[in-house]
Amino acid sequence: MNSGFYKDLDTNFEEALKMSAQEFSHQELLEMLQNGNIPQKQLAAMRLDKINNQTDADILISNLTGCDGKIREAVALRINNFLREQPDSIKFFNQAEVFANATIDINANICRLIVDSVAVLKQDKEFTKVYLERILSIIDDAFLELGKIAFRDKKYVINKQLFKLYWCLESLRFFVDDIEEEKLLSILERSAEEKEYTIREKAAQIIVLTPFEDLKNRLKNDENYYVRAVFKF
């Protein structure tokens, strides 16, 4: 790794340290979220203490995808905090497609925070409609790609699709009653056949909430303990 990397790391750390001792107005924090560098945006996300309107929420959400992971994680955490601590702000976090894309972020911590946030946002029916359309599309694409993968393909190619599927299934636990039964059954049947046990485990966590007795009986006798254990509690 070149010396420039370490120099940038030192510079960012020093800047973050210096900024942590400063006070910023609400407007200054929003300005940093729009135009700042990595440490500025990260700090601004964590320091933002309220969402006043749609513009505030849009600026925060604009940093949830397509930027450095440190920023994305800080923003995901702050959004989750706002939804839990400032219920009136829920109406401002209505960008369902952005939340759907963030559900499959490469950082599992972000995925977890987003799924937890979506469990709150689902009370908005329009959000649910748009979010589910995107999530179901991602699931279909993941199954399609998994079906194309040959034995010689590198493991990371497979894992990328399994990762997407895992987090989409994690989010679907909150939408069992919002998905057409035939579509849900199709997803769960395909997931129950997956060799990777974590996918079968996620499918089982949804199946226990459904009337699909054949699938329940199949996974109750799964070869993997963690899959079977879902039905014991």
Side-chain angles (χ1 to χ4, degrees):
M1 204 172 284
N2 62 46
S3 60
F5 172 84
Y6 292 108
K7 184 177 179 182
D8 289 344
L9 200 61
D10 288 341
T11 300
N12 285 344
F13 178 76
E14 287 170 11
E15 182 173 0
L17 196 62
K18 183 175 163 184
M19 288 171 58
S20 66
Q22 296 177 253
E23 292 296 327
F24 298 95
S25 69
H26 184 77
Q27 200 53 47
E28 286 172 330
L29 293 172
L30 291 173
E31 176 64 27
M32 280 196 286
L33 276 169
Q34 285 184 293
N35 303 307
N37 56 27
I38 292 172
Q40 287 172 338
K41 288 190 172 191
Q42 187 180 16
L43 182 138
M46 295 308 297
R47 287 276 194 89
L48 199 66
D49 64 355
K50 59 185 175 180
I51 295 294
N52 292 324
N53 50 47
Q54 189 65 58
T55 299
D56 288 2
D58 288 346
I59 291 171
L60 186 60
I61 291 172
S62 70
N63 290 284
L64 188 54
T65 58
C67 57
D68 184 85
K70 297 184 191 70
I71 301 169
R72 301 196 314 274
E73 187 164 357
V75 169
L77 177 59
R78 204 68 197 99
I79 288 173
N80 189 262
N81 292 156
F82 282 131
L83 292 173
R84 301 291 177 180
E85 299 166 5
Q86 191 180 327
D88 288 348
S89 70
I90 290 174
K91 60 182 177 291
F92 299 128
F93 293 103
N94 51 20
Q95 297 88 332
E97 282 218 22
V98 177
F99 278 90
N101 292 333
T103 299
I104 56 168
D105 192 283
I106 60 172
N107 180 332
N109 290 333
I110 296 173
C111 301
R112 191 171 292 106
L113 286 163
I114 293 302
V115 169
D116 192 56
S117 295
V118 166
V120 177
L121 291 167
K122 74 177 292 290
Q123 62 188 265
D124 182 322
K125 295 304 179 186
E126 183 58 28
F127 179 95
T128 292
K129 178 177 178 294
V130 176
Y131 179 83
L132 276 180
E133 283 176 359
R134 176 66 181 136
I135 288 296
L136 294 176
S137 175
I138 293 170
I139 290 173
D140 287 343
D141 288 344
F143 282 144
L144 184 63
E145 292 304 313
L146 285 168
K148 291 178 183 177
I149 289 171
F151 177 75
R152 65 178 178 276
D153 286 322
K154 295 186 183 300
K155 192 162 180 62
Y156 77 83
V157 176
I158 300 171
N159 287 343
K160 181 179 179 181
Q161 299 305 326
L162 291 175
F163 185 87
K164 290 180 183 179
L165 185 56
Y166 177 97
W167 286 107
C168 285
L169 289 173
E170 178 73 1
S171 73
L172 285 193
R173 289 190 299 123
F174 301 105
F175 297 95
V176 170
D177 295 331
D178 301 291
I179 306 172
E180 184 181 310
E181 187 172 296
E182 188 176 337
K183 178 64 176 177
L184 182 60
L185 178 59
S186 173
I187 290 170
L188 294 176
E189 284 179 331
R190 175 64 179 80
S191 299
E193 295 171 359
E194 185 54 53
K195 291 180 181 179
E196 172 56 48
Y197 86 86
T198 58
I199 301 300
R200 301 199 308 278
E201 183 184 3
K202 285 297 153 195
Q205 290 171 356
I206 300 173
I207 289 167
V208 294
L209 305 173
T210 73
F212 305 143
E213 295 302 324
D214 287 347
L215 282 176
K216 288 179 186 178
N217 291 331
R218 186 195 311 178
L219 292 187
K220 277 179 184 177
N221 299 300
D222 193 90
E223 64 183 27
N224 184 274
Y225 167 79
Y226 294 103
V227 179
R228 297 194 306 271
V230 171
F231 299 94
K232 294 179 180 178
F233 302 101

